[in-house]
Amino acid sequence: MALTDLTRPDEPRSSLAAREGAVYSDRLSSRSTDVDGLEDLDQEEESQFLRTPKRVPVRRSPLPKKTQNQVKKVLIIVVVVIALLSAASAAYQYGRSAWRFRIDSSDNIEITGVQNAARTQVMDVVGADIGRNIFFVPLDERKKQLEGIPWIESATVMRLLPNRIAIHVQERTPVAFVQIGSKISLIDGHGVVMGLSANRQVKYSFPVIQGITETEPLSSRAASMKIYNRLVRELDSEGAHYSNNLSEVDLTDPEDVKVTANDPGGAVVIHLGSTNFLAGYKLYVAHGAEWRQQFQNLQSVDLRYEGQIIVNPDANHNPPQTAAAPKPVPVAKLRRRRK
């Protein structure tokens, strides 16, 4: 549009200039608005092709969450263990040094189960611990030392806090006397020689075993005592108690077990062999008095032969005599002596 289109004939020139200026300003403003609109359009078109704004990086742990939980548990356990060890160490140090854990005298040692063993032997073993801290008493060593006492078969040694020791022993059961050299001792069923009882009020009534030597090993004595146990078991079977009539049992020869019977007419040595002890002894009980009337000075009889009885086979001066076996009593089971 031409500038002359805006003029009027009757308008002054100053008004005309002001009007032209206003029109020009409106054109500039319109042009500026168009330019701004184009710029916004360009920016909108460009923003469609721009990348997503960069996010702020989050710092993550290199371990998975499950592993982190496991590590925490391990750490807790380690802390607890360290605490327990520290407490145990403190308790150990206290136990070592505290006076209340010291064994003051023999009154702090309790001994039970001792009847036949000498109490002095027991105190010789445990008396060394008087004045010692209870936690430093070697229980296993004391147990072995106590079981080394012949009368004691087993022992139990315990600590009783704060400062006492309890000892309980199980003694061996004697089954016979044994003569070794000139000494008489008690012996158990396994061949352990225990000496005599320290308790003088205890009385035993056993036969005396002959044929066991001092140098004989325990295994050999155990084998001899196995024969003795079988002998007593057979003689006391069927309601009989013939073993009570025996004063001696000679086990020198396992194939010829000899027993000495206490008879009203005098002691008689009976050769029973190695089997059928009860049958042979019954034969003597039934006919012992008869043999005494038939043979003077009856000292021993040998019942090992089949069909005959040998009287006084152990006599030094007079030759042995034989007698027919009594018919009412079967002797077929008696063992013939080996040649």
Side-chain angles (χ1 to χ4, degrees):
M1 179 182 294
L3 185 61
T4 56
D5 292 337
L6 299 175
T7 60
R8 295 178 182 177
D10 55 351
E11 281 187 80
R13 297 188 65 91
S14 58
S15 297
L16 180 61
R19 185 177 178 185
E20 289 178 355
V23 172
Y24 181 76
S25 176
D26 289 340
R27 287 181 180 180
L28 290 178
S29 177
S30 175
R31 183 176 295 180
S32 176
T33 301
D34 293 340
V35 172
D36 291 340
L38 291 176
E39 289 180 356
D40 292 340
L41 181 61
D42 291 340
Q43 290 179 0
E44 183 178 353
E45 290 178 356
E46 289 180 359
S47 64
Q48 295 179 0
F49 301 98
L50 291 177
R51 295 181 181 180
T52 304
K54 187 176 180 180
R55 297 178 181 178
V56 178
V58 178
R59 187 175 182 181
R60 296 182 180 181
S61 173
L63 297 177
K65 187 175 181 180
K66 183 177 180 180
T67 305
Q68 293 180 22
N69 294 334
Q70 293 178 349
V71 171
K72 290 180 181 179
K73 291 180 180 180
V74 171
L75 291 177
I76 293 173
I77 293 174
V78 170
V79 171
V80 172
V81 170
I82 292 175
L84 292 177
L85 290 177
S86 300
S89 177
Y92 175 77
Q93 296 297 331
Y94 174 75
R96 287 189 58 182
S97 57
W99 60 269
R100 65 193 309 252
F101 297 112
R102 188 178 300 111
I103 302 173
D104 296 327
S105 65
S106 59
D107 295 336
N108 296 79
I109 301 176
E110 177 184 333
I111 302 174
T112 58
V114 175
Q115 295 181 355
N116 297 294
R119 191 177 181 88
T120 55
Q121 290 181 301
V122 178
M123 288 305 301
D124 287 342
V125 174
V126 298
D129 295 321
I130 296 176
R132 178 175 293 178
N133 187 295
I134 191 174
F135 294 107
F136 290 90
V137 176
L139 301 184
D140 292 337
E141 182 179 348
R142 296 294 177 262
K143 172 182 170 65
K144 292 180 181 178
Q145 291 174 336
L146 290 171
E147 292 176 351
I149 298 174
W151 267 104
I152 297 178
E153 183 175 9
S154 62
T156 303
V157 184
M158 298 180 296
R159 296 186 181 94
L160 299 180
L161 296 178
N163 61 346
R164 295 173 59 208
I165 294 292
I167 298 172
H168 178 74
V169 301
Q170 179 67 41
E171 292 187 334
R172 301 183 186 276
T173 302
V175 297
F177 290 102
V178 61
Q179 182 174 359
I180 300 178
S182 59
K183 184 179 180 181
I184 300 294
S185 302
L186 286 164
I187 189 171
D188 74 347
H190 302 287
V192 178
V193 179
M194 303 171 290
L196 296 178
S197 173
N199 187 355
R200 300 304 180 185
Q201 297 180 353
V202 179
K203 304 297 181 183
Y204 293 104
S205 179
F206 296 129
V208 179
I209 295 177
Q210 305 284 349
I212 293 180
T213 62
E214 185 175 2
T215 59
E216 191 173 359
L218 179 60
S219 59
S220 179
R221 294 200 302 267
S224 298
M225 291 307 298
K226 187 176 181 180
I227 298 174
Y228 172 81
N229 294 333
R230 180 164 56 88
L231 168 69
V232 173
R233 186 167 58 250
E234 290 188 20
L235 295 184
D236 291 343
S237 62
E238 300 180 4
H241 297 281
Y242 292 131
S243 66
N244 295 335
N245 300 330
L246 305 182
S247 61
E248 291 184 4
V249 176
D250 192 342
L251 302 175
T252 304
D253 184 2
E255 296 295 327
D256 181 18
V257 177
K258 294 179 287 186
V259 299
T260 301
N262 292 323
D263 192 86
V268 178
V269 177
I270 306 171
H271 295 250
L272 295 176
S274 60
T275 58
N276 298 317
F277 298 134
L278 180 60
Y281 195 83
K282 279 185 174 181
L283 180 62
Y284 166 76
V285 170
H287 301 280
E290 177 185 341
W291 296 335
R292 283 186 181 279
Q293 294 178 358
Q294 184 178 356
F295 304 97
Q296 296 180 355
N297 192 22
L298 181 65
Q299 297 178 357
S300 61
V301 293
D302 194 337
L303 306 179
R304 293 174 295 164
Y305 293 100
E306 185 177 347
Q308 64 180 353
I309 306 299
I310 299 178
V311 179
N312 293 334
D314 304 319
N316 295 327
H317 302 289
N318 299 325
Q321 297 174 299
T322 60
K327 293 182 180 180
V329 180
V331 295
K333 293 183 179 181
L334 297 179
R335 191 174 184 276
R336 183 183 298 275
R337 176 183 289 179
R338 295 181 179 178
K339 297 183 179 179

